[in-house]
Amino acid sequence: MKTINLLNYARGDWTPGQGDLRDIPSAIDGSTVARTGSDGLDFAAMLDHARTVGGPALRAMTFHERAWMLKTLGLAIMERKEELYALNPHTGATRKDGWIDIDGGALTLLSYSSKGRKELPDAHVLLDGALEPLGKNGTFIGQHILTPLQGAAVHINAFNFPVWGMLEKLAPTLLAGVPCIVKPATQTSFLTEAAFRILIETGALPEGAVQLIVGGVGDLFDHLTGQDVVSFTGSAWTAGKLKNHPTVLRESVKFIAEQDSLNASMLGEDAAPGTPEFDLFIKEIVTEMTTKAGQKCTAIRRIMVPAAQVDVVQAAISEKLAAMHNGDPRERETTLGCLVSTKQRDDVREKIAELVEGGARIVHGDPDAAVGPEGGAALGPVLLRADDPWGSDAVHDVEAFGPVATIMPYKDLDDAIALANRGMGSLALSVFTHDPAIAGRFVRGAAAFHGRMLVINRDNAAESTGHGSPLPVLVHGGPGRAGGSEEMGGIRGVKHYMQRTAIQSTPSMIAAISQQYIPGGPKKVIDTHPFKLKMSELSIGDTLTTDSRTVTIEDIEHFAHFTGDTFYAHMDEEAAKASPIFEGRVAHGYLILSFAAGLFVHPDPGPVLANTGLENLRFLTPLYPSDSMRVELTVRSKSIKSDETGVVKWAVEVFNQNDELVATYDLLTENTP
């Protein structure tokens, strides 16, 4: 492979590092893959460019516009992924490993694009929770909102996922409207730079939205402010050093850390040999030890099994590990690739020695055996066993970041919970059991120490994504040793890059600020029925006011007998009067909803394709026989799902003849854009 001279992307230009460049060796054979450096960059100017050029450009876009941008980026990675797969083996990864990194990264962008269009408004402000009444007459209310931070996000990524690691941070950050400076780990930065080029060449990103540093960060941290965010993945030592940078402390810079984690997997007491759960457990352990050569922050390091099953588990895992083909990741038959570098291989060997010194013993594999191409960083899988896990601190404290795991026995479920929590915080923990009682007790006892927990058994194994797979819709992070922060988690991840502010004012002011309808806010009564208008023809606040309908005692009785809902409040006058709530018989709540739909629904085919649900239903004032009801139907917000469909959220308010609110709810309809 021809050596690549990597470039930084600073202030809209591809810029080489000055001075001596660092050689990046191939994980396969040690030959030089790329040269890189960042000396000469003006890091203060890069931050200023992000804040003054990239930030305003992104904030000028709505959530939906930014979501469509993510879709363009994700599709571009998918279309040109073979360019990335060509470089992938030099990181030590097989093609199967690369799928997690390359396709997984693209799919994360596409997932955030979809969630942004479905769950966020086509606006610049995100409402956070319900409004809070602050006055008796409804003219003074409070509303929490979220707006993009007006700084830059500095993303510092680890070597093990050079594409996914970048994209899983970029997706929520860009969707939030915050520009990013990406700093990949130098060892695999050649693959990150190639993926970054694809993003830039789409032309979809505004100037200043993203920048790239393929070397050290120089004095970048000296120029951070309280509007900036640092999102870090790597070792606890480096995270601690960066979190304690004087500027980070002085400016209260938000710091999101995902760091060391000794994740565990537990075989339930019910999962004896011969059960599906036992077989699934063995398969998952081997997968987690060998995928990406064990270089995953979520990989299983501690294998917890009932004391009576230690020998049989050891034999089953060893048998499968012995069948692995370790070596050149370019070869089709290779099932266990290389570590990222010989330096990393040496570090793993040192950590194995620490585990042995701490009381564990090697029961499969030889960390000093030469495997794979000469000059490369291959290492065979190593299985250890700690018969006294409470007598060894090392098995709970030392992470060998490679194809290494340790079996340890537990006495009973309480002991298993205590052992799991002894890791002092992990990203992921899995439990293999078919017994709900075991799962319930274990999760309740251990959840506080783990960011994600999987209960896997015969019922969900076929669909399960596995122990070590972070998903964009779920939080990725963990407490304590794992860093104490979160990434992704769907829209939760977006909110990490936004500021929550409490707004106090009139409904009309808050509606104007948020660009969304607020109950009590201004309405615009329209002549055309809104169900006859496409989403693009509807505006926030457009309102249909219906005619009134009188509800009779015959309506109530017919509804009761027709549905079978003969609750006393609808059918027994004396019992209803005796209630502390009602003055007599009342209309069913669902009768009110049905009559409301009859008042506002337009029967003809049109842009409204379907009613997909309702939210936030409240019944506020009883509706008695001979009362009348009318509806005000208001466009609250709009969300685009695809090129063919979108969702309109309507505020439905039902009033009686005295203009008192009888019921309120949000109606969701699928519409033609």
Side-chain angles (χ1 to χ4, degrees):
M1 174 180 169
K2 182 181 178 182
T3 301
I4 307 168
N5 286 322
L6 303 182
L7 299 177
N8 303 278
Y9 189 73
R11 292 182 286 167
D13 291 322
W14 289 101
T15 305
Q18 298 177 6
D20 293 334
L21 300 180
R22 173 177 168 178
D23 288 349
I24 301 176
S26 168
I28 301 171
D29 56 14
S31 61
T32 300
V33 177
R35 296 186 178 91
T36 187
S38 60
D39 289 353
L41 292 180
D42 187 335
F43 297 105
M46 290 179 69
L47 282 168
D48 183 69
H49 186 69
R51 297 180 190 125
T52 61
V53 178
L58 286 169
R59 293 194 298 274
M61 303 166 70
T62 66
F63 288 108
H64 285 194
E65 289 170 331
R66 296 194 290 264
W68 284 113
M69 176 183 69
L70 293 183
K71 183 175 182 179
T72 299
L73 301 179
L75 291 177
I77 294 290
M78 292 297 286
E79 290 166 4
R80 297 176 59 182
K81 64 183 180 181
E82 291 304 323
E83 299 172 30
L84 305 179
Y85 276 112
L87 297 172
N88 176 64
H90 295 284
T91 70
T94 65
R95 185 175 180 92
K96 184 178 180 181
D97 294 335
W99 187 95
I100 305 168
D101 187 32
I102 297 167
D103 287 68
L107 292 172
T108 298
L109 289 174
L110 297 175
S111 175
Y112 265 95
S113 173
S114 176
K115 291 189 77 66
R117 287 177 279 127
K118 291 178 181 178
E119 299 179 27
L120 298 177
D122 191 16
H124 299 87
V125 173
L126 178 60
L127 300 183
D128 184 48
L131 62 84
E132 301 287 347
L134 302 177
K136 292 183 179 180
N137 299 318
T139 61
F140 187 52
I141 62 171
Q143 175 70 59
H144 290 92
I145 65 169
L146 291 160
T147 55
L149 290 169
Q150 296 188 18
V154 176
H155 293 169
I156 300 177
N157 299 322
F159 65 77
N160 50 340
F161 288 99
V163 179
W164 176 84
M166 172 176 68
L167 300 183
E168 65 96 5
K169 288 185 175 70
L170 280 180
T173 309
L174 292 175
L175 186 55
V178 176
C180 314
I181 296 176
V182 178
K183 194 291 180 199
T186 301
Q187 182 60 42
T188 52
S189 57
F190 58 90
L191 185 51
T192 306
E193 193 234 42
F196 192 93
R197 283 183 178 275
I198 293 173
L199 303 182
I200 295 299
E201 290 169 8
T202 64
L205 288 159
E207 172 67 24
V210 295
Q211 298 177 81
L212 177 70
I213 301 171
V214 288
V217 296
D219 64 352
L220 179 73
F221 272 59
D222 293 340
H223 306 288
L224 296 175
T225 72
Q227 285 292 307
D228 300 319
V229 181
V230 175
S231 183
F232 170 85
T233 300
S235 72
W237 185 89
T238 305
K241 180 181 177 181
L242 296 178
K243 280 191 287 188
N244 287 287
H245 189 284
T247 304
V248 172
L249 296 175
R250 184 185 69 245
E251 299 291 332
S252 298
V253 177
K254 183 181 289 189
F255 197 102
I256 301 168
E258 188 265 283
Q259 58 192 45
D260 300 349
S261 175
L262 275 82
N263 312 289
S265 186
M266 185 194 86
L267 181 67
E269 294 172 300
D270 63 310
T275 64
E277 287 70 35
F278 182 90
D279 294 339
L280 290 167
F281 179 74
I282 300 301
K283 179 181 179 182
E284 193 71 9
I285 296 297
V286 173
T287 297
E288 287 299 303
M289 287 184 66
T290 56
T291 299
K292 292 286 287 188
Q295 298 170 115
K296 294 197 305 175
C297 54
T298 55
I300 296 169
R301 306 298 178 194
R302 298 180 298 149
I303 306 167
M304 298 164 38
V305 300
Q309 307 293 350
V310 173
D311 290 338
V312 68
V313 167
Q314 175 186 317
I317 295 173
S318 297
E319 181 182 0
K320 287 189 175 295
L321 290 177
M324 304 297 293
H325 180 79
N326 187 197
D328 191 332
R330 294 170 298 189
E331 296 177 357
R332 186 180 297 273
E333 63 270 21
T334 298
T335 50
L336 172 58
C338 305
L339 296 181
V340 72
S341 66
T342 55
K343 179 181 178 182
Q344 178 64 21
R345 182 195 61 198
D346 293 343
D347 181 75
V348 172
R349 286 172 172 168
E350 290 175 8
K351 294 298 192 296
I352 293 172
E354 290 181 39
L355 289 167
V356 171
E357 185 179 353
R361 57 190 172 91
I362 297 173
V363 294
H364 178 87
D366 179 0
D368 296 320
V371 293
E374 185 177 352
L379 179 72
V382 175
L383 182 66
L384 297 100
R385 173 168 167 170
D387 290 310
D388 181 13
W390 288 109
S392 171
D393 290 336
V395 296
H396 306 293
D397 295 335
V398 176
E399 181 182 23
F401 202 69
V404 181
T406 303
I407 300 173
M408 57 191 69
Y410 67 84
K411 301 172 186 176
D412 53 30
L413 193 55
D414 288 336
D415 190 45
I417 292 170
L419 281 173
N421 296 346
R422 173 62 183 79
M424 300 306 294
S426 80
L427 298 170
L429 183 147
S430 54
V431 185
F432 288 75
T433 180
H434 201 247
D435 186 333
I438 291 176
R441 277 189 59 199
F442 190 85
V443 170
R444 290 191 297 270
F449 287 81
H450 307 279
R452 177 166 55 89
M453 299 184 75
L454 301 79
V455 180
I456 304 179
N457 55 40
R458 68 196 74 176
D459 299 328
N460 63 13
E463 288 190 308
S464 170
T465 52
H467 169 103
S469 299
L471 297 172
V473 297
L474 301 179
V475 294
H476 177 53
R481 184 199 300 275
S485 299
E486 296 176 349
E487 293 180 355
M488 299 193 295
I491 301 306
R492 296 174 186 84
V494 178
K495 294 178 181 180
H496 291 321
Y497 300 92
M498 306 186 80
Q499 175 62 43
R500 180 179 291 106
T501 304
I503 304 296
Q504 299 167 272
S505 190
T506 64
S508 60
M509 283 293 186
I510 292 180
I513 291 166
S514 66
Q515 302 168 305
Q516 296 165 70
Y517 172 73
I518 298 292
K523 299 177 179 179
K524 178 186 176 183
V525 178
I526 55 177
D527 297 329
T528 304
H529 196 290
F531 280 22
K532 298 173 69 175
L533 300 174
K534 295 181 179 180
M535 277 185 61
S536 57
E537 298 170 320
L538 291 170
S539 299
I540 304 301
D542 282 354
T543 301
L544 170 71
T545 299
T546 72
D547 294 331
S548 295
R549 171 171 182 164
T550 299
V551 178
T552 67
I553 193 68
E554 290 78 17
D555 291 328
I556 295 171
E557 291 182 348
H558 175 75
F559 190 87
H561 293 302
F562 184 70
T563 62
D565 181 357
T566 56
F567 187 63
Y568 78 89
H570 313 306
M571 302 301 290
D572 187 327
E573 184 71 22
E574 293 304 317
K577 284 183 178 180
S579 163
I581 300 174
F582 307 118
E583 299 173 3
R585 296 170 68 180
V586 295
H588 304 68
Y590 295 111
L591 180 149
I592 294 170
L593 296 184
S594 299
F595 281 7
L599 288 169
F600 66 70
V601 166
H602 193 280
D604 297 340
V608 174
L609 305 174
N611 172 353
T612 58
L614 59 84
E615 300 173 342
N616 307 315
L617 172 63
R618 295 291 184 273
F619 295 113
L620 305 171
T621 302
L623 197 69
Y624 296 99
S626 300
D627 282 352
S628 64
M629 55 175 284
R630 63 178 180 82
V631 178
E632 292 185 10
L633 180 74
T634 305
V635 179
R636 181 189 285 278
S637 64
K638 303 185 293 182
S639 298
I640 296 292
K641 289 180 63 176
S642 67
D643 293 331
E644 292 79 30
T645 63
V647 173
V648 177
K649 180 179 286 189
W650 310 81
V652 183
E653 297 167 297
V654 181
F655 297 89
N656 65 15
Q657 69 277 7
N658 299 319
D659 288 334
E660 297 171 316
L661 269 174
V662 172
T664 64
Y665 58 96
D666 292 334
L667 172 71
L668 305 176
T669 61
E670 194 149 324
N671 289 51
T672 301

